[in-house]
Amino acid sequence: MDKEKKSLDWSLLVRLLKLARPYRSALWLCALLAIVLAPASTAQPWLINKIVDDHIAHGDTQGLFQMSMLFLGILFMTGVLQYVFVYTTSLLGQNVIRDLRVRIFSHIVDLRLAYFDKTAIGTSTTRTINDIETINTVFSEGAITIIADILTMVAVLIVMFITSVKLTLICLLTMPLMLLATYVFKEKVKKSYQVVRAQIQRMNAFLQEHITGMRIVQIFNAENQERGKFKIINREYTRANLDAILYYAVFFPVVEVIMAIALGLMVWWGARSVLSDDVTLGALIAFPIYLNMLYRPMRVLADKFNTVQMGLVASERVFAILDDDSKVENTGVLRPEKLKGAVSFQHVYFTYDGKAEVLRDVSFDIPAGGTLAIVGSTGSGKTTIINILNRFYEIKSGAVLVDGIDLRQYELSTLRARMAMVLQDVFLFTGTVYENITLMRPDITRDQVLEASRVIGAHPYIERLPDGYDFVVTERGNNLSMGQRQLISFVRALVYDPDILILDEATSSIDNETEAIIQHAIETLISHRTSIIIAHRLSTIRNADNILVLDHGQVKEFGPHEELIKIEHGLYKKLFEMQFTHAVEA
């Protein structure tokens, strides 16, 4: 939970209001309307006072008609101005958060993978949706409307004192009670809102994680346990909201009681004053309206202050993401249209957490157009190598060269555009098969997609789908088989015509028939581009130019299959014989 703030963070509020700079005309219009509405709203009871004292009391029918028309005109004008004010403040808030959503999503897209390793998806979702919606209320219901309400209260008090000092002082006798009730309400609701925000984040993170992993929940028959966990989270979230509702339920009746006491005192004393001619009848009729106009803003002012406070809490969390500079440093200037594809790791050390070294003194070379297979037990550092090559993470020391040039000298998007990767766990987005292959890149034509699909033998399989390439894939590709998803990801990689092709367990989760198709495609494609293949099935990498054997982040063996298999007590030979023996027994 965010630490409780005792007062408004003015520097944070200023930074938040600066987001409205592109819409300064709307901001100035809101400020102008707030200033105009303050005296305009007090004109109505003032006119009632004048109508009663100057026209009704003297039987002036013509004057009564004229003042009544003026009253209706001001009433209509005030209604129009209030509509424009409410609409403009809401429009301003929506424009600001629209821009902020784009800004924060663009920032998240550029963050290093390390950010996503340590941040729950539900947390990022809460920041991008719920917190930004809360920021909207600072503009639509908070800061600007607070200024308008305060101006209105000041204008009402001035007119009240001008009309009758004694009646005004009588009305203000209950003001200390109102201020005390408002302060207590503001503090209680602020605390309850902070709890609500924390519970929303907790619920979003739980739902995101468990809906995504629903297959595992059902496979292990854990539905009842997860229902129980969700009930607890939901109960705590409901309790937090009920606490906030309780404070509202207590505060508003208290305000009504205080207003009723003030009204009763005003009527009691005012009626006596009318009889003694100390107060006019018009003033006595107008003052209940003044009283309502004075206390009504006070009733919502505390809630609006909390709205601003919660908006600042939300903005602090959003700005924390925007201020996170854990982006991949993109200072490279080289933008080659093609790469030869020579890769060299020179004494590379790497750590994810700054402590435990995942790679230790890793060195190897892949000539342009060569094929390297990487093998090793789980956690040996295989995937880390390809993550470093794509610059998802930065190395601790050493050097990684492509075509003899340090990776960091390449412009990042240019470097990644010349590489393609096929992963074991294929991620497909909601959309058509064609859209998942091209990722909406306008420069990739349908003919290129069809050609790449035919090259690897995926075309017949995609054509069998309803609507073929226009078949709509559901979230994460759940309406496709593992083999179909893998074939689509393979076409997606190939249609980019990469200079460096990376296959990370690309054939480990598919059936033998599909594996044969992909294996044939691999053999065809790696003949003219640099390829890195990670595979547990050693039978799929026998034809690689060289095989890199990793163990606990260190290079243990390096060379072609024929040489490694001859090493007595070698790690590769041991792994190969274990798989071969298991395959024969099966």
Side-chain angles (χ1 to χ4, degrees):
M1 186 188 302
D2 298 278
K3 293 182 179 179
E4 180 184 344
K5 295 183 180 295
K6 298 298 181 182
S7 59
L8 289 177
D9 187 336
W10 291 103
S11 62
L12 193 61
L13 180 60
V14 169
R15 182 179 181 184
L16 189 59
L17 292 176
K18 284 181 180 179
L19 297 176
R21 277 180 176 174
Y23 312 100
R24 56 173 61 90
S25 58
L27 189 61
W28 283 114
L29 177 60
C30 291
L32 178 63
L33 288 173
I35 295 172
V36 172
L37 281 170
S41 58
T42 61
Q44 298 171 31
W46 182 81
L47 284 174
I48 292 174
N49 188 353
K50 290 296 182 182
I51 289 172
V52 172
D53 289 341
D54 297 345
H55 301 285
I56 295 178
H58 297 90
D60 183 6
T61 306
Q62 184 178 357
L64 175 62
F65 176 77
Q66 292 175 348
M67 293 297 287
S68 297
M69 291 299 100
L70 178 61
F71 179 85
L72 290 175
I74 292 177
L75 183 64
F76 177 78
M77 181 194 71
T78 304
V80 172
L81 291 178
Q82 287 177 338
Y83 164 77
V84 175
F85 178 74
V86 172
Y87 181 83
T88 306
T89 54
S90 298
L91 180 64
L92 176 64
Q94 289 297 325
N95 285 333
V96 168
I97 66 170
R98 178 195 61 197
D99 296 345
L100 190 56
R101 279 196 208 99
V102 173
R103 182 180 169 189
I104 193 170
F105 181 77
S106 299
H107 184 80
I108 289 175
V109 167
D110 290 334
L111 289 174
R112 294 179 182 176
L113 289 184
Y115 168 83
F116 304 98
D117 293 340
K118 62 185 180 182
T119 306
I121 296 175
T123 299
S124 297
T125 303
T126 301
R127 300 290 179 267
T128 311
I129 300 176
N130 299 90
D131 284 337
I132 289 183
E133 283 297 331
T134 303
I135 291 174
N136 173 41
T137 60
V138 174
F139 295 92
S140 62
E141 304 172 20
I144 300 174
T145 56
I146 286 175
I147 294 173
D149 287 341
I150 292 175
L151 290 175
T152 299
M153 291 168 59
V154 171
V156 168
L157 278 173
I158 291 173
V159 176
M160 286 175 68
F161 273 109
I162 293 173
T163 305
S164 174
V165 175
K166 291 181 179 179
L167 276 181
T168 303
L169 292 175
I170 290 293
C171 292
L172 294 179
L173 285 176
T174 58
M175 187 61 71
L177 292 176
M178 174 65 83
L179 295 175
L180 177 62
T182 300
Y183 175 78
V184 173
F185 170 74
K186 183 178 78 71
E187 292 302 310
K188 293 293 184 182
V189 170
K190 180 173 70 173
K191 292 178 181 178
S192 67
Y193 274 178
Q194 289 172 338
V195 176
V196 168
R197 299 304 305 168
Q199 293 300 331
I200 287 176
Q201 177 179 325
R202 183 183 176 195
M203 180 176 287
N204 282 343
F206 181 90
L207 289 172
Q208 176 73 41
E209 183 177 24
H210 285 76
I211 291 175
T212 303
M214 190 55 64
R215 182 185 298 272
I216 300 300
V217 172
Q218 294 183 355
I219 287 174
F220 289 94
N221 196 29
E223 293 92 337
N224 290 334
Q225 297 93 307
E226 301 309 322
R227 286 192 192 100
K229 292 179 184 177
F230 182 75
K231 284 180 180 179
I232 294 173
I233 294 174
N234 189 43
R235 189 182 305 118
E236 292 177 354
Y237 175 57
T238 304
R239 186 183 300 118
N241 279 287
L242 289 176
D243 287 343
I245 293 171
L246 173 64
Y247 299 131
Y248 281 96
V250 172
F251 176 69
F252 286 122
V254 167
V255 171
E256 293 297 330
V257 170
I258 295 173
M259 287 181 61
I261 294 173
L263 181 61
L265 290 172
M266 187 273 297
V267 171
W268 171 75
W269 193 89
R272 293 177 58 188
S273 298
V274 169
L275 294 176
S276 62
D277 291 330
D278 290 335
V279 173
T280 65
L281 181 61
L284 184 63
I285 294 174
F287 254 74
I289 304 175
Y290 286 131
L291 193 63
N292 182 60
M293 294 177 65
L294 179 64
Y295 279 88
R296 184 181 59 193
M298 291 189 65
R299 183 171 57 184
V300 296
L301 206 55
D303 194 30
K304 289 181 178 179
F305 269 115
N306 279 323
T307 296
V308 173
Q309 183 70 36
M310 293 305 102
L312 292 179
V313 171
S315 66
E316 186 174 31
R317 291 194 289 249
V318 172
F319 288 145
I321 295 179
L322 293 176
D323 293 338
D324 189 335
D325 60 354
S326 58
K327 295 183 179 181
V328 177
E329 185 180 353
N330 188 19
T331 57
V333 295
L334 299 180
R335 299 172 180 265
E337 293 185 4
K338 296 281 289 182
L339 294 175
K340 295 178 182 178
V343 176
S344 177
F345 274 57
Q346 299 178 356
H347 306 290
V348 171
Y349 287 80
F350 175 79
T351 173
Y352 285 104
D353 58 6
K355 298 177 182 178
E357 290 182 337
V358 179
L359 296 181
R360 289 178 289 171
D361 196 23
V362 172
S363 297
F364 62 85
D365 293 296
I366 311 174
T371 302
L372 175 70
I374 305 176
V375 300
S377 59
T378 301
S380 60
K382 303 187 298 296
T383 301
T384 300
I385 286 178
I386 61 176
N387 283 337
I388 290 173
L389 186 59
N390 279 276
R391 285 203 70 196
F392 295 142
Y393 300 90
E394 298 289 3
I395 60 176
K396 179 181 177 182
S397 62
V400 180
L401 311 179
V402 172
D403 292 346
I405 301 172
D406 192 288
L407 276 183
R408 288 166 290 192
Q409 296 185 33
Y410 290 97
E411 196 278 326
L412 190 60
S413 61
T414 302
L415 176 70
R416 290 177 179 171
R418 304 315 312 154
M419 300 183 188
M421 186 184 301
V422 179
L423 303 174
Q424 176 184 2
D425 183 17
V426 179
F427 192 100
L428 298 182
F429 297 93
T430 301
T432 65
V433 170
Y434 177 78
E435 290 170 345
N436 269 282
I437 292 173
T438 63
L439 294 178
M440 304 299 289
R441 266 185 53 172
D443 58 318
I444 298 178
T445 66
R446 199 174 188 90
D447 289 339
Q448 289 175 302
V449 172
L450 295 177
E451 177 62 24
S453 183
R454 290 189 180 100
V455 167
I456 69 166
H459 183 69
Y461 292 89
I462 297 177
E463 283 288 290
R464 290 176 200 165
L465 295 171
D467 300 322
Y469 289 85
D470 295 318
F471 175 73
V472 177
V473 179
T474 58
E475 185 180 12
R476 300 181 67 90
N478 288 328
N479 58 342
L480 295 174
S481 69
M482 179 65 74
Q484 289 171 324
R485 296 201 295 268
Q486 196 66 274
L487 283 172
I488 290 172
S489 72
F490 215 96
V491 178
R492 179 164 64 189
L494 298 181
V495 80
Y496 279 71
D497 189 25
D499 300 317
I500 299 175
L501 179 66
I502 301 170
L503 308 177
D504 187 359
E505 306 289 352
T507 63
S508 63
S509 301
I510 55 179
D511 55 71
N512 291 332
E513 180 183 359
T514 308
E515 180 184 354
I517 294 171
I518 292 180
Q519 190 62 38
H520 173 72
I522 291 173
E523 293 172 358
T524 303
L525 293 165
I526 64 177
S527 61
H528 63 276
R529 57 170 50 87
T530 303
S531 302
I532 300 175
I533 305 172
I534 297 176
H536 281 301
R537 299 182 186 180
L538 302 188
S539 58
T540 64
I541 60 172
R542 296 180 61 173
N543 296 326
D545 297 332
N546 285 294
I547 298 172
L548 176 71
V549 184
L550 285 175
D551 183 45
H552 294 92
Q554 292 182 301
V555 177
K556 294 298 182 181
E557 298 169 8
F558 184 85
H561 168 79
E562 292 76 10
E563 292 182 6
L564 298 183
I565 203 70
K566 296 177 182 178
I567 300 175
E568 289 295 329
H569 308 297
L571 184 57
Y572 178 78
K573 182 178 181 180
K574 180 180 178 181
L575 292 172
F576 187 84
E577 289 177 346
M578 287 175 61
Q579 287 195 13
F580 181 76
T581 301
H582 290 161
V584 171
E585 291 176 351

